[in-house]
Amino acid sequence: MNSKVKKQLQRAAVAVSSFLLAFSATAYVICNENAYQINGFLGIQTSEIHEAENTDVDTEYYKSKYNSVKAVKEAGLAAVEEVEAEGAVLLKNEKNALPLASDSRKISLFGTSSVNPLYAGTGSSGIDTSTAPTMKSSFENAGFDVNDELWDFYKSHPQTNKATYVSGGYAAGARGSFAINEVPWDDVATKSATFSEYGDAAVVNFARTAGEGADMPSSSGKTQADLYEDAESKTGKIENGNYLALSESEKQLLRGLKAEKDAGRIKKIIVLINTANAMQLGFLDDEQYGIDAALWIGTPGQKRPERRCRYYRRNCDTFGQPCRYILYR
């Protein structure tokens, strides 16, 4: 057999093997994800229930510590609060700026993402936040007195209303929007009369999206900068934009707060890093911003009461009859 024929046979063998591998992998996924429906269609019974001859046998392998659904829910809520508290990371704490003393509870929340925080990531990590507490209510529930006028200002500002961390995706030719949309400091400063009254701490929240299919912007390269834009920017672009660094508007916000602190109207500047992404944090030690403390909070998620299952015909609220598939969407 000459070398030319041998190469042709080798190519044919590789092609056939590749096809069979792809076919078997696809068939496995289809069958695995639709096994219940396929077996039902074919009339195949995959399991049976038999009564044990010895009725004294205890077949409950994993015994619950709880005697009611209410007790399970309460324990679950306490667990998720503990996970978030222990998962947060203290990045900086100059002169024990944190925790705030019991007599230092009047605070102001700054940043577009203070009223529009990231509760979770994108893709499969997305959650229903329709009943999630706001950052303001969370602080208030913890005993803080929050600057209402500043909060209402951020809630109604056009930048906040159009803020979007990400849209679009990575498909070929697709372009997403990763605009930060921070409110300009000149606008925020119109509420400076309230700063001293709620000046025990200025709490600034910075958020960057992260998750399945949307960790970072991507483009052809020619229009990369406008993917990182602050919508209020005069040019519509940030030169050499970097989504994981501070935008110019965010820098202006911190400089403005530093000036307020120097003037004695704000006692402390505390920064929250609200992201699961690898944000660049060198600015935390930059003296021009005067940051006293910083806390990485990740994406805090959402706790919610149980709901009826979406894919299983059984009421989740019936104790001892847990759902097999629960989707919180």
Side-chain angles (χ1 to χ4, degrees):
M1 182 182 296
N2 59 44
S3 59
K4 185 176 180 180
V5 174
K6 185 181 293 185
K7 287 181 179 179
Q8 289 177 340
L9 290 175
Q10 289 174 342
R11 290 194 188 99
V14 169
V16 171
S17 299
S18 300
F19 171 78
L20 291 175
L21 177 61
F23 178 80
S24 60
T26 303
Y28 172 80
V29 171
I30 293 174
C31 293
N32 187 54
E33 292 187 355
N34 299 278
Y36 181 80
Q37 291 85 349
I38 293 174
N39 288 339
F41 177 79
L42 297 175
I44 298 174
Q45 184 176 350
T46 57
S47 63
E48 293 181 352
I49 298 176
H50 296 273
E51 293 290 338
E53 294 181 3
N54 182 359
T55 57
D56 294 330
V57 174
D58 187 354
T59 59
E60 187 179 357
Y61 296 109
Y62 302 101
K63 296 183 181 298
S64 175
K65 298 186 298 182
Y66 311 100
N67 56 11
S68 69
V69 171
K70 181 180 179 182
V72 173
K73 291 179 180 178
E74 290 175 350
L77 295 179
V80 296
E81 288 182 359
E82 182 180 359
V83 168
E84 173 59 24
E86 294 187 1
V89 179
L90 185 64
L91 302 175
K92 180 176 183 177
N93 197 20
E94 294 292 327
K95 299 179 180 179
N96 295 319
L98 291 175
L100 294 176
S102 58
D103 59 350
S104 301
R105 294 290 176 125
K106 297 179 75 67
I107 66 173
S108 296
L109 300 178
F110 291 89
T112 298
S113 57
S114 68
V115 299
N116 189 25
L118 284 175
Y119 293 94
T122 59
S124 297
S125 62
I127 60 174
D128 179 1
T129 61
S130 59
T131 60
T134 65
M135 187 167 286
K136 180 176 183 288
S137 66
S138 297
F139 273 102
E140 290 174 337
N141 290 338
F144 290 89
D145 191 1
V146 180
N147 187 337
D148 286 314
E149 188 172 337
L150 182 63
W151 174 265
D152 292 339
F153 159 80
Y154 271 109
K155 285 286 288 183
S156 61
H157 197 280
Q159 291 298 103
T160 302
N161 291 332
K162 65 183 176 183
T164 175
Y165 297 109
V166 58
S167 63
Y170 284 128
R175 290 188 55 208
S177 170
F178 283 71
I180 297 166
N181 289 333
E182 188 54 71
V183 174
W185 171 252
D186 288 345
D187 290 0
V188 178
T190 62
K191 300 301 175 182
S192 59
T194 67
F195 295 170
S196 58
E197 182 182 354
Y198 295 88
D200 288 335
V203 180
V204 188
N205 195 57
F206 291 134
R208 295 293 188 275
T209 194
E212 182 181 4
D215 275 334
M216 282 289 289
S218 61
S219 76
S220 62
K222 295 181 180 179
T223 57
Q224 188 74 15
D226 62 359
L227 292 173
Y228 310 111
E229 73 179 87
D230 277 330
E232 84 283 3
S233 172
K234 292 181 179 179
T235 63
K237 297 182 180 181
I238 297 176
E239 187 175 355
N240 299 319
N242 182 346
Y243 181 65
L244 297 181
L246 288 184
S247 72
E248 186 56 38
S249 294
E250 290 171 323
K251 294 176 183 177
Q252 291 172 4
L253 170 61
L254 289 177
R255 293 190 194 104
L257 292 177
K258 173 63 161 56
E260 292 292 321
K261 189 174 82 165
D262 291 343
R265 289 185 285 272
I266 291 175
K267 296 178 183 177
K268 301 175 182 178
I269 299 175
I270 299 169
V271 171
L272 303 179
I273 305 300
N274 175 203
T275 182
N277 216 329
M279 191 172 177
Q280 296 178 6
L281 302 177
F283 69 89
L284 295 177
D285 292 323
D286 195 325
E287 293 183 359
Q288 67 173 315
Y289 302 133
I291 297 170
D292 298 287
L295 194 67
W296 177 81
I297 62 173
T299 50
Q302 154 68 334
K303 62 182 184 181
R304 62 181 301 171
E306 298 242 21
R307 300 172 61 190
R308 188 177 294 274
C309 299
R310 182 175 173 182
Y311 286 135
Y312 197 61
R313 295 178 182 176
R314 183 176 286 171
N315 192 327
C316 300
D317 293 328
T318 303
F319 186 71
Q321 301 292 326
C323 295
R324 294 179 63 184
Y325 306 105
I326 303 175
L327 291 186
Y328 296 110
R329 294 192 184 268

